[in-house]
Amino acid sequence: MLSTESGAVLTENEEGTDQESSASMTMEDYLHFEEEAFKTPNHGDIVDGIVVRVDPDEVLVDIGAKAEGVISSKELGMRGDVDSELEPGDQIKVYVLQPENEEGNVVLSLRRARAETTWIVAAEKQADGTVIDADVREQNKGGLIVNILGLRGFLPSSQVARAYAGSLESLVGKRIPVKILEVNRKRNRLIVSQKAAEDEDRARKREELFSRLQTGTTVRGTVSGITSYGAFVDIGGADGLIHISELSWDRVSRVTDVLQLGEEVTVKVIKLDPEQTRISLSLRQLQQDPWERLVQSMPVGSIVEGQVTKTKKYGAFLQIMPGIEGLLHISELSWDHVERTEDVLKVGETVQVKVIGIDTARRRISLSLKQLSAPPANLVGVRSDRAHEYPTEDEE
């Protein structure tokens, strides 16, 4: 073994390795290494550093430059109390305010580094479409001011969730989910949307809903919209439609006669279309089918009371029990010839009729008014060929 002047001991193999390494590095390599190892930072850079010393008036930070970086207590906003936050050995990110001051040190800012890093994080959140929470601070003319990631953001009134569109002030003081729409550091501009976050949440819930829903499932929901053709029901992530024909076994003229906005209902899923994200619902299919009662309580030959719901050239329709209408054909109105249905019956009129035919498969019932009385002598034995007929498409 060989002793060095410094007292360190090297083996022959170690010394040889050191010599080979030295021989393999050129002066240019050394200069490049020196430049990279002690590269002078530029104004606006955000660099990693390690706290070396915490003094009452400044913090020294090793950022790998030729000279140490300095954070003043004034910049930190903690005159004489900087040691309450930072300790030697802490790894921090700092912002370069000045590459070199009069003493040759790099002037750094911890606060600016945090702010700039937050803007970077905000840009990343915008890029990946992350939904994050924001605290609503105040309302102004165009929308709401929010605090998001520690930054001041703006939520335009057009981007407020639909449920709060007319009452922005009710959101002040609340924490709400939002998506970042725009990040512009130069203009200090941060735009967010509650509506976009709501849409994403609904899309996720819709996907989960379709994965577990099946035709025939009974679900609970809230009436979220009413139209002339039916009612929309929010069943937890998606709206399903109850067509007006599926509201009741009775004839429904107006949806509001059966349902009101905000009403909670139990409905049956009767059709699913995942591609179009459409759900068809039924209210009436959870009610007893009136035809089941009809067969038991109104056999052929029964005398029943019915109310005229509409008149046609081929006869009149009468409601004989909730959800069931029967046809009183014009030929069954009177033993005499009848030119117009309206000459015998008017809409709203209540009359007694005889059940002369039931077709449960086609859900049709034929009625007769004239068979409640005996036929004239000249018509005894004469049978009407149209007694059980429903109108053809041409007659409709």
Side-chain angles (χ1 to χ4, degrees):
M1 291 189 294
L2 299 174
S3 296
T4 66
E5 294 180 0
S6 63
V9 178
L10 296 175
T11 64
E12 292 181 1
N13 289 339
E14 287 173 335
E15 184 179 26
T17 302
D18 189 56
Q19 289 173 346
E20 288 175 7
S21 176
S22 298
S24 63
M25 286 190 81
T26 65
M27 181 58 70
E28 184 179 349
D29 292 333
Y30 274 118
L31 292 174
H32 178 69
F33 176 78
E34 179 82 4
E35 182 182 352
E36 288 298 317
F38 300 102
K39 187 176 181 181
T40 302
N42 297 313
H43 170 74
D45 287 348
I46 297 176
V47 296
D48 292 314
I50 299 176
V51 177
V52 176
R53 190 174 73 245
V54 178
D55 295 330
D57 59 343
E58 66 181 15
V59 176
L60 295 181
V61 182
D62 179 6
I63 59 171
K66 292 180 180 180
E68 290 178 329
V70 177
I71 306 175
S72 70
S73 58
K74 180 180 178 181
E75 196 285 325
L76 282 166
M78 315 174 180
R79 295 177 182 269
D81 195 29
V82 293
D83 57 335
S84 65
E85 180 177 343
L86 298 178
E87 294 180 356
D90 286 349
Q91 295 184 352
I92 59 175
K93 287 188 179 294
V94 288
Y95 180 93
V96 178
L97 291 174
Q98 188 178 342
E100 186 175 358
N101 63 7
E102 293 85 353
E103 288 78 27
N105 293 322
V106 182
V107 182
L108 305 173
S109 168
L110 185 62
R111 186 169 53 211
R112 285 286 298 273
R114 289 173 177 170
E116 295 300 328
T117 301
T118 304
W119 279 97
I120 293 172
V121 172
E124 292 173 349
K125 298 294 184 184
Q126 179 198 7
D128 59 27
T130 304
V131 175
I132 51 182
D133 288 336
D135 294 313
V136 182
R137 299 299 193 203
E138 60 184 272
Q139 180 186 1
N140 64 16
K141 186 177 181 180
L144 298 168
I145 303 300
V146 301
N147 181 293
I148 179 169
L149 300 173
L151 300 173
R152 181 183 173 90
F154 178 61
L155 171 59
S157 56
S158 61
Q159 294 300 321
V160 172
R162 295 163 184 82
Y164 300 97
S167 57
L168 272 63
E169 65 278 359
S170 64
L171 287 173
V172 176
K174 292 185 177 181
R175 174 166 289 188
I176 60 173
V178 297
K179 288 183 73 172
I180 298 175
L181 299 184
E182 181 184 343
V183 176
N184 189 324
R185 178 65 184 99
K186 291 182 179 179
R187 298 181 60 189
N188 206 37
R189 179 183 175 93
L190 183 62
I191 308 296
V192 301
S193 170
Q194 183 188 23
K195 186 183 294 183
E198 179 186 61
D199 290 344
E200 180 163 319
D201 184 57
R202 286 188 66 82
R204 177 182 56 79
K205 289 181 179 178
R206 187 183 300 115
E207 187 175 340
E208 293 176 355
L209 185 65
F210 271 91
S211 68
R212 69 174 188 270
L213 271 187
Q214 293 182 345
T215 301
T217 303
T218 299
V219 293
R220 189 80 177 159
T222 304
V223 178
S224 57
I226 291 178
T227 69
S228 60
Y229 54 83
F232 287 96
V233 178
D234 183 350
I235 56 175
D239 286 343
L241 173 66
I242 310 176
H243 192 269
I244 192 169
S245 63
E246 289 293 333
L247 286 173
S248 172
W249 292 104
D250 293 331
R251 184 179 297 277
V252 177
S253 301
R254 296 182 305 174
V255 178
T256 50
D257 291 339
V258 180
L259 293 175
Q260 300 299 319
L261 197 64
E263 182 178 350
E264 290 190 1
V265 290
T266 299
V267 290
K268 182 179 180 180
V269 179
I270 57 175
K271 186 178 180 181
L272 289 169
D273 186 349
E275 292 184 2
Q276 300 293 327
T277 63
R278 291 177 181 171
I279 304 172
S280 298
L281 306 171
S282 176
L283 193 60
R284 74 170 186 171
Q285 289 191 30
L286 294 179
Q287 305 163 358
Q288 183 184 11
D289 186 345
W291 279 87
E292 295 175 2
R293 300 198 307 273
L294 173 71
V295 174
Q296 298 171 357
S297 61
M298 295 184 181
V300 172
S302 301
I303 307 300
V304 298
E305 188 174 82
Q307 183 177 42
V308 180
T309 58
K310 56 181 177 287
T311 58
K312 300 287 185 179
K313 62 181 180 181
Y314 50 80
F317 284 94
L318 279 69
Q319 182 176 30
I320 57 174
M321 64 184 301
I324 292 183
E325 289 184 343
L327 173 64
L328 177 56
H329 196 273
I330 193 170
S331 63
E332 290 293 327
L333 286 173
S334 171
W335 292 108
D336 298 326
H337 175 72
V338 176
E339 189 68 33
R340 297 187 318 140
T341 304
E342 291 82 0
D343 293 339
V344 180
L345 293 175
K346 300 290 189 295
V347 173
E349 187 176 351
T350 300
V351 293
Q352 283 195 325
V353 288
K354 183 177 182 179
V355 177
I356 58 175
I358 296 176
D359 185 344
T360 54
R362 299 172 70 188
R363 291 179 176 263
R364 291 178 174 180
I365 182 168
S366 299
L367 307 170
S368 176
L369 182 62
K370 73 179 184 181
Q371 290 190 38
L372 293 179
S373 60
N378 63 328
L379 293 178
V380 173
V382 176
R383 177 178 176 276
S384 172
D385 293 333
R386 303 196 69 180
H388 296 71
E389 288 186 10
Y390 263 68
T392 64
E393 291 184 4
D394 291 339
E395 288 178 312
E396 287 277 12

